[in-house]
Amino acid sequence: MLKELLLPEIEDLIEQNQWEDISEILSLWQEAETADLITSIKKNEDKINIFKTLPKEYSIKVFPELVSIDQQHIIESMTDEKKKELLENISPDDRTSFLESIDEDMSKNILKLLGSEEREIASLLLSYPEGSIGRMMTPEYISIKPDWTVEEAFEYVRSNIEDAETYTTIYVLDNKRTLIGSITLRQLFFSGQKVLIQDIVNNCPYILAYEDKENAIEIIKKYNLHSLAVIDNKHSMVGIVTVDDILDIAEEEYTEDFHKMAGITSDDNQFDDNLKITPIFTMYKKRILWLLALVFVNLFSGGVISIFQNTLQKHIVLVAFLPLLIGSGGNAGSQSATLVIRSLAIGDVVLKDWVYLLSKEVLVSSILGLSMAFGASILGVIRGGFEIAIIVSISMFSIVFIGSIIGLTLPFILTKCKLDPAISGAPVLTSICDIAGAGIYCSIATIIFYMLAK
């Protein structure tokens, strides 16, 4: 990448305050590469200086590519007139994304700066529920009438192409702006000039503005779209969401799921997930909650072990196998849960598939348990003899089996309760498996030693 190649040179120019030279270099780059470089600069003051020296038209294209915290610092450094000029010239969906990322007071102040038309558009998009596709859409699209000829439509598209977010798909609306369908620019090009649009219009996938933005990912993927029509409850078209926005949504959702699986809480969108720029205290807040929760969960697993302390004191060698057995249960459960969470997320399985998947998991986890039990029995013989080997192997089978079943079942339970199945990731699942594993191991050991004593 250009950033890696030229970053040392850019840093030297920063040290010499050669901002114009930096601007000349960066204006030849792609906007995303310039934004990436600005993010890599350590000092906020330098980031601001670089952005302010970029050519105006170019800086307008760079701004949406920046991470939200850098956008905020840049906006805060501007005069009201400059803020207005920048935010009125970026696309409505990019502007909404920025306004979502800042605090409410700052957002209200910026809205006041906008012209009446842009303020109305921004307020409309922000009025949709958080997380809905309405907040991601843009009203900048090309629409034509069904009773136009191809020649009329072509002339209209040519005149309005610069104002649209995308022109590969052209939407056909009636006089009430009801969505009838769509056609592609390619269709227009290869159709006769006197052909009516209504004779070549295609069925058009769409999504309601109030639907969750995750739903748009599936529709665009299913129909291989470049853009997706957004309608209101009256079937009137209100905007589009483009594939680049969908990729951003997908990245956000996958990041959120990874964080939930790792026990990392979501923040208030003030900062991005770039570890290089996220403040230390923000990273602390995102991680501390589940770590503290695990401390209290340990009261249960420790309590289970304390109940069987007499058995463990008499046969101290059992303690050596405790980490192995508990860890195996957690790992088996995590494997099972990860497969289920992914399948639920992409729609490969639904709630009604639980019984079928459970029957498969019973067989798979049994084989896994037997394989692990064989390995554990060898260790048991080496470290404690035949009796210990029996206890460890039976415990290993039971813990791996039960851990796998818990791992498969928990995501379905959360989905049934209308909760995100990703919550059942590592911290929650391993905590449950730790408690269950300790109880199973100590119970089996106590029972077998009791039977042998008789």
Side-chain angles (χ1 to χ4, degrees), residues 217-240:
I217 301 173
E218 296 303 318
I219 298 174
I220 281 196
K221 185 171 67 172
K222 180 177 181 180
Y223 295 101
N224 196 25
L225 304 173
H226 291 100
S227 61
L228 175 62
V230 183
I231 64 170
D232 62 16
N233 293 327
K234 297 179 181 179
H235 210 82
S236 297
M237 189 160 172
V238 290
I240 62 170

Side-chain angles (χ1 to χ4, degrees), residues 168-238:
T168 54
T169 301
I170 300 157
Y171 296 93
V172 182
L173 312 180
D174 66 14
N175 291 328
K176 295 182 178 180
R177 301 201 63 77
T178 302
L179 177 64
I180 296 173
S182 66
I183 61 173
T184 64
L185 191 61
R186 178 185 176 88
Q187 279 181 282
L188 278 183
F189 189 80
F190 286 103
S191 298
Q193 292 188 343
K194 301 303 179 184
V195 174
L196 294 176
I197 295 300
Q198 62 192 17
D199 294 332
I200 57 173
V201 66
N202 305 312
N203 289 328
C204 178
Y206 58 83
I207 187 170
L208 285 168
Y210 291 92
E211 284 191 56
D212 192 288
K213 58 187 180 182
E214 286 188 64
N215 297 342
I217 301 173
E218 296 303 318
I219 298 174
I220 281 196
K221 185 171 67 172
K222 180 177 181 180
Y223 295 101
N224 196 25
L225 304 173
H226 291 100
S227 61
L228 175 62
V230 183
I231 64 170
D232 62 16
N233 293 327
K234 297 179 181 179
H235 210 82
S236 297
M237 189 160 172
V238 290

Side-chain angles (χ1 to χ4, degrees), residues 341-356:
I341 291 169
R342 180 190 177 277
S343 295
L344 285 169
I346 64 176
D348 282 351
V349 299
V350 293
L351 274 173
K352 65 181 181 180
D353 296 320
W354 176 75
V355 175
Y356 172 69

Side-chain angles (χ1 to χ4, degrees), residues 12 33 42 45 58 157 164 172-173 227 255 373 376 379 386 403 433:
D12 288 341
E33 291 174 335
K42 294 179 180 179
E45 183 181 355
Y58 183 70
V157 170
V172 182
L173 312 180
S227 61
T255 299
L379 286 177
F386 184 70
C433 289

